[in-house]
Amino acid sequence: MSISPAKLVSQKTNGKVLSTAPNRLGYLTPTDPSVGIETIRRLYGMQGYVWLKGLLPPDDVIDFRSWVLSRLVDSGLLKPGSDPSLGIASEGGFDRQLADRRLMSLVRSTAFEGFCAQPRLSHLMDKFVRGLSYLHKRKIMRFTLPGTTAATPAHYDLVYLRGGTSRVVTAWIPLGDTPVDMGGLVYLEGSHAIGVDMEARFNRDNAGLDAEERISAYNRNMTEGGWVSKDLPDMAERFDTRWLIADFEAGDVVLHSPYMIHASTTNQSTSGRIRLSTDIRYQNVDDEIDARWSNHWSLDDML
């Protein structure tokens, strides 16, 4: 789907600006979850992703957003007196270390586990993986303030999950409305095939490494942190494809392939709203599980 003139937004990431040319920027294709699991699986295979519109009850997602942000209030992250569900950032500084400690507690909580394992998700994933689904214990939740210049560079997830099955599925969930001006994930169209080729080359080039180093995103033959590139415009040119963006809403869930190349863009919210999201991984419980993902996420776990 092409971007209409009304949708053209200057997307910034790591000092670069994405081209708005129609052959370089497009829009993710939404899917109604009611189409059925076979269609969802087919679209996932064709596109490398499936954007499930309104899979979760929006009010539940917003309530969870409010619960998370209310527990970060004492760090000074939010504008004093504002509704936590809105996530309006404080205009002053905040205690980053305290906010990070709170976040590390939240990802270990029963409430977060319950949100990620809620029936609408778990039932869908059981069907999607054709068996009992396993939810990885390492589950990531991030907040991004407006004006933050750094963004997640382009990568594909299998780089960080090589110790287990390649049939792992990522679910990215925007916790609240996340229009394009707030950034969010962007996907390189058709890049699940590119990721497969990159991984095959990685396996050839790293055949001589010991087993522990071979699965590490930080091994001697990898770029820093396992990134494919920090230059998103160059990637679109190099592979002659488009970056796909979207206006995400509370209740949306995006499933993407472990080979699908994606990145994030800068939060440019003019209303000062914090972007909050979680990315979690599922697989069939009978497939090999990467042992490194059997611990709770922490900021220093080198994954």
Side-chain angles (χ1 to χ4, degrees):
M1 184 184 299
S2 297
I3 292 286
S4 68
K7 290 287 186 183
L8 293 178
V9 175
S10 178
Q11 295 288 291
K12 301 176 181 178
T13 175
N14 293 307
K16 304 288 184 178
V17 178
L18 299 187
S19 170
T20 56
N23 64 334
R24 294 292 173 255
L25 190 68
Y27 204 67
L28 288 170
T29 301
T31 297
D32 185 333
S34 68
V35 296
I37 197 64
E38 292 304 325
T39 299
I40 289 172
R41 238 191 248 114
R42 178 176 57 81
L43 291 170
Y44 177 90
M46 288 172 51
Q47 301 173 157
Y49 75 90
V50 58
W51 172 21
L52 298 169
K53 286 294 299 175
L55 175 67
L56 307 179
D59 289 346
D60 290 356
V61 175
I62 293 170
D63 286 348
F64 182 71
R65 172 184 173 85
S66 180
W67 180 83
V68 169
L69 293 174
S70 68
R71 279 153 179 76
L72 300 175
V73 167
D74 59 351
S75 71
L77 183 70
L78 300 183
K79 182 178 179 179
S82 64
D83 180 350
S85 70
L86 297 176
I88 306 298
S90 169
E91 295 179 359
F94 73 103
D95 187 335
R96 166 65 75 169
Q97 289 188 337
L98 177 58
D100 286 345
R101 286 201 303 274
R102 290 280 188 275
L103 196 61
M104 294 302 95
S105 296
L106 291 171
V107 298
R108 289 160 170 74
S109 69
T110 301
F112 183 46
E113 181 75 21
F115 179 84
C116 296
Q118 61 184 281
R120 289 201 188 194
L121 271 176
S122 61
H123 292 167
L124 173 77
M125 296 314 300
D126 285 349
K127 295 175 183 176
F128 191 84
V129 303
R130 294 185 172 92
L132 293 177
S133 60
Y134 172 81
L135 171 63
H136 285 237
K137 188 173 183 179
R138 185 178 186 271
K139 300 182 289 294
I140 300 169
M141 184 160 49
R142 309 179 195 276
F143 64 84
T144 305
L145 297 175
T148 302
T149 55
T152 302
H155 66 284
Y156 59 94
D157 290 345
L158 195 62
V159 168
Y160 309 99
L161 287 147
R162 288 184 174 127
T165 179
S166 62
R167 299 201 302 170
V168 67
V169 181
T170 295
W172 183 76
I173 308 173
L175 299 175
D177 292 350
T178 308
V180 291
D181 70 312
M182 289 179 66
L185 287 194
V186 295
Y187 291 89
L188 191 65
E189 189 172 34
S191 62
H192 50 309
I194 297 170
V196 168
D197 289 343
M198 287 183 171
E199 190 65 11
R201 184 168 65 251
F202 170 86
N203 288 331
R204 290 194 300 270
D205 293 346
N206 292 272
L209 301 180
D210 63 56
E212 183 176 352
E213 187 177 8
R214 191 164 59 248
I215 66 172
S216 173
Y218 297 84
N219 77 43
R220 72 189 78 167
N221 295 325
M222 293 292 292
T223 56
E224 181 185 356
W227 310 123
V228 174
S229 176
K230 290 186 175 182
D231 191 338
L232 271 59
D234 174 73
M235 286 196 70
E237 291 292 334
R238 184 167 21 130
F239 294 108
D240 190 21
T241 188
R242 308 182 297 173
W243 285 102
L244 304 178
I245 63 175
D247 288 311
F248 299 108
E249 296 178 297
D252 292 354
V253 175
V254 184
L255 304 181
H256 67 247
S257 160
Y259 297 104
M260 188 71 176
I261 296 174
H262 57 286
S264 71
T265 55
T266 302
N267 182 354
Q268 302 178 76
S269 171
T270 56
S271 55
R273 294 185 62 232
I274 296 168
R275 184 175 80 232
L276 184 67
S277 64
T278 183
D279 45 296
I280 55 183
R281 275 84 189 175
Y282 296 88
Q283 64 176 78
N284 190 302
V285 72
D286 292 328
D287 287 345
E288 185 176 4
I289 297 169
D290 191 324
R292 300 171 301 166
W293 285 67
S294 62
N295 298 309
H296 288 295
W297 171 58
S298 63
L299 290 167
D300 59 354
D301 67 9
M302 295 298 286
L303 281 171

